[in-house]
Amino acid sequence: MTAPPASRVAVLGVGLIGGSVALAARLRAGAHVTGWDPDGAALAEALEARVVDAAAREPAEAVAGADLVVVAAPVAALPAMVATALAAAGPETAVTDVGSTKSAIVAASVDERFVGGHPLAGAEATGVRHARADLFEDATWYLTPTSATSGLLLERVHRFTAALGAVPTHVDPAEHDRLMAAVSHLPHVVANVLVAQVAEALGGERLPPTGPSFRDATRVAGANPALWAQIYAGNRDALVERLDDALGRLRDVRDQLAAGESLEAWQAAAGEHRRALLEVGLTGGPRTELRVAVPNRPGVVADLALTLARAGINISDMSLSPSPDGTSGVVALWVAQDAAARAHGLVADLGFAVT
Amino acid sequence: MTAPPASRVAVLGVGLIGGSVALAARLRAGAHVTGWDPDGAALAEALEARVVDAAAREPAEAVAGADLVVVAAPVAALPAMVATALAAAGPETAVTDVGSTKSAIVAASVDERFVGGHPLAGAEATGVRHARADLFEDATWYLTPTSATSGLLLERVHRFTAALGAVPTHVDPAEHDRLMAAVSHLPHVVANVLVAQVAEALGGERLPPTGPSFRDATRVAGANPALWAQIYAGNRDALVERLDDALGRLRDVRDQLAAGESLEAWQAAAGEHRRALLEVGLTGGPRTELRVAVPNRPGVVADLALTLARAGINISDMSLSPSPDGTSGVVALWVAQDAAARAHGLVADLGFAVT
C-alpha cells in the first residue's frame, strides 16, 4: 500500500462532476476536500451534504495548501479558472481540469503543474445533489500531459484519478479532441438532426410510437444546451472535420441507394466496424511492471506515457521514485503482459534504461 | 369475452418473427397453428419445439382451412409469397404480412382479403430458436388497410395482433414508409456512418474506450446485412428523401459552427423535439366506445380507421357485428376518452351514424 496520492484536495466548481470528484476524493481516496463554487447556494448545499469537508469564499482560499486542485468549470470558463488556480497554487501543487475538450485549455495553461483531464462520466441529472462517489467507477479518465508537464505531478494526478475508481488513460490533447469529435460530439449533433427531422416531418400533428432504434439513436439529443454549445464551440475545428467526413459518407450512400445499388456489403462492413470497436477496452488480464530510469525534468514522463498511448498500450498504474538528489528518478509503469515487450522496445527507443 | 379472432392460423416463414407469431398465436390466442418454411431444418425445429402445431410441406397446404395467414418472409420475397397465400386461401381468409416496408407489398397485393402489417418488434438474435410468445407485448403493430380491404377481415387481423399482446395501429402505407424512413431506416444508416468514420479515422491502429453516447447511437450499426439491404431498397424513395433532409440539416449546422455561431438555441430546440417525441405513446387512460353503423363493403372500416389515425387518434380495440342480412353492420371502436368527441365528429363527417 502506497501513500494516498493527495491528502489535501481543492475542487473549484461543485456541480455533478466536481461534487462527485469531491465525494470520491473524501470517501475513496481519504483526502481532505475544500470546495468553492461561484454559486453560493450550491456550495452551501455541498457543505451541508458533506460532499466537501470545507467551503472556501474565494478560489485562492480553496487552493491554499492543496496538493491537488481539480477545476470543474464549464468549458468556456476553464482558461480563466485554471489560470486563477495556477496563480494561487504552490510550486508543488498539481492542477487538473475535467473539461470535455482539451486542446484549447492545454494551450492556454502551459505550466509544469498543469495536467489536462477529462473523465468520461456524467449523467442526465446535473447539480451537486446528484453527486456520487462511484460516478467514475471503471470510467476512462483521459489525461493530456505535454512536454511541459512535471512527471511527479502527472503521477499524482494519474494515481488520484485511479483512486477515484477511474481508468486513467494518456492521450495527446489534439488527438483527444479528434477522438471526442468522432465518438461523442458528432453523435450528439446527429441525434439532434434525427429528432428535428422527425418532429418537423410530422409537423407536430401526430407523433408516432417508435421502435427502440430511434430512442437509442437520439438519447442524447438536446442534452444541456448551455454546456453542449460550449463543447461544440470548444472543439470547432475537429467537429467541422468530422461533420464534413460524415456528410461525404451520407452523400455516398444516398447516391448508391438512389441509383438502385445494393447496400448489403456496406451494411456488412458497418457490422465489422462495430464489432471491432466493441471489442475495445475489454482486455484486462495480467500486468507487467516496467521500471524506467529517467532524468527529473518536465515532459519526460508525459513523453513516455504518450509514446505508449500512441502505440495502443495503456498504463494501468504508475509510480515515480525520485533519486535522493532529485536530479533523476525511476518510473514504474504497469502495462498489459502481452504488450510488455513492445512497451520495453518503445521506451528503450526513447533512450531510457528499462528493467 | 368474445370469440378468439382466429382459430386456425397459418404462418409462412418460421424465423424469429414468424416463430414468435406462431408461439403467441398458440399460447395467447388459443389458435391451432400450421407452419411452413422454405428451410426444412428450421421448420423441423419449429415443430420439435412446439412453436407450431403442425408443419406443412407446401404453402398451400398450410393455408388450406386457415382463418388467418401470416406471411413472415424477407421483404424482397413478400410479393410472391403473399400472392401464393392469396391464391391458396379461401374467400373468408385474412392474409397479412410482417414486412418492414408497406407501400410496395400493398400495391402488389390489391385484394380485399389482404391487410399489410408491421410489428415494431425484433431482436439482435434471429431464427426460430429465439422465438418468444411475449415478443409483441405492448409493441406497436402497424396495419395498413386500403380502400380495397374487407372490414370483417381487417377486424380479424386487428383483434389477432391485439391478442398477441401488441397495440394495433392503423396507418396509410405511404405514411408508414415515410415514418419508418425517419424513425428507423435513417437512424440505421446514420449508425453505420458513425461507426465507419470512427473505425477509419482510427485506421485500426488504436480503438479507444468510448462513452455511452457512442454505444447508444451505434447499437444498430451493421444489423443483419441481407435483411437491411432489402429494407433500404424496399423503401428507397422515402429514405432518399430523409437522407436529403438530414444532409441539409447537417450542412446547416456545420456552416453555423464553422462561422463561429453559437449552437445553444439549436441544441435547446432539439431538446424540445425530443421531449415532444418521448411524451408519445405514454398516454393510456380511460377509453370510450363509439358505435358506427356502416354498409358492408370493402374499404369502409379501413377508411374509418385511417381517418382517425390521420387525426392522431388510435383505435385501442375494434369489434364488427354484421347485420343478419349481411348488407350492413355496426363497428364498435374504442378510443381514448379525451379524443372521443373529436372521433365522433370525424366519423360523422364521413357520413356514418355514430352512437
Side-chain angles (χ1 to χ4, degrees), chain A residues 120 124 140 142 169-170 175 179 182-184 186-190 192-202 205-211 213-223 225-226 228-229 232-233 236 239-240 242-247 249-251 253-254 257-258 260 262-264 266-268 270-271 273-274 276-278 280 309-310 312, chain B residues 120 124 140 142 169-170 175 179 182-184 186-190 192-202 205-211 213-223 225-226 228-229 232-233 236 239-240 242-247 249-251 253-254 257-258 260 262-264 266-268 270-271 273-274 276-278 280 309-310 312:
Chain A
L120 294 186
E124 291 205 20
T140 296
Y142 283 113
T169 303
H170 297 253
E175 197 198 326
L179 192 57
V183 302
S184 172
L186 178 61
H188 277 75
V189 168
V190 161
N192 289 356
V193 164
L194 290 176
V195 295
Q197 57 97 25
V198 170
E200 294 185 23
L202 295 171
E205 199 186 61
R206 176 169 178 270
L207 297 163
T210 58
S213 65
F214 188 72
R215 279 177 188 263
D216 283 348
T218 61
R219 202 173 300 282
V220 298
W228 275 90
Y232 298 144
R236 178 174 298 132
L239 182 52
V240 167
R242 283 299 99 207
L243 278 162
D244 285 337
D245 180 279
L247 280 163
R249 291 175 193 275
L250 281 171
R251 262 192 304 267
V253 70
R254 180 251 180 248
L257 182 66
S262 167
L263 297 180
E264 184 168 344
W266 177 77
Q267 180 82 7
H273 289 318
R274 176 167 177 265
L277 290 167
L278 289 184
V280 175
R310 273 190 291 270
Chain B
L120 294 186
E124 292 204 20
T140 296
Y142 284 112
T169 304
H170 297 253
E175 197 198 326
L179 192 58
V183 303
S184 171
L186 177 61
H188 276 74
V189 168
V190 161
N192 289 356
V193 164
L194 289 175
V195 297
Q197 57 99 25
V198 169
E200 294 186 20
L202 294 170
E205 199 185 60
R206 176 169 177 271
L207 296 163
T210 59
S213 65
F214 188 71
R215 278 177 188 263
D216 282 348
T218 62
R219 202 174 299 283
V220 297
W228 276 91
Y232 298 144
R236 179 174 298 132
L239 182 52
V240 166
R242 285 297 101 206
L243 277 162
D244 285 338
D245 180 280
L247 280 162
R249 291 175 192 276
L250 281 171
R251 262 192 304 268
V253 69
R254 180 250 180 246
L257 181 67
S262 167
L263 298 180
E264 186 169 343
W266 177 79
Q267 181 82 8
H273 289 318
R274 176 167 178 265
L277 291 167
L278 289 184
V280 175
R310 273 190 291 269

Side-chain angles (χ1 to χ4, degrees), chain A residues 252-353:
Chain A
D252 285 349
V253 70
R254 180 251 180 248
D255 291 346
Q256 286 173 51
L257 182 66
E261 294 172 28
S262 167
L263 297 180
E264 184 168 344
W266 177 77
Q267 180 82 7
E272 292 302 318
H273 289 318
R274 176 167 177 265
R275 273 183 287 281
L277 290 167
L278 289 184
E279 279 158 15
V280 175
L282 302 172
T283 49
R287 303 280 148 178
T288 296
E289 180 185 354
L290 297 180
R291 297 178 69 81
V292 187
V294 291
N296 183 8
R297 62 164 195 268
V300 170
V301 177
D303 195 20
L304 278 176
L306 292 176
T307 298
L308 296 180
R310 273 190 291 270
I313 301 171
N314 196 41
I315 300 170
S316 57
D317 202 357
M318 177 194 280
S319 167
L320 196 147
S321 319
S323 63
D325 67 358
T327 60
S328 66
V330 172
V331 193
L333 304 171
W334 280 264
V335 300
Q337 201 172 67
D338 57 10
R342 224 154 37 92
H344 191 297
L346 288 163
V347 173
D349 287 349
L350 291 173
F352 301 123

Side-chain angles (χ1 to χ4, degrees), chain A residues 21 68 96 112 117 173 240 249 305:
Chain A
V21 168
L68 193 150
T96 188
E112 68 170 302
V240 167
R249 291 175 193 275

Side-chain angles (χ1 to χ4, degrees), chain A residues 122-133:
Chain A
E124 291 205 20
T126 57
V128 69
R129 83 202 49 176
H130 297 108
R132 292 167 18 208

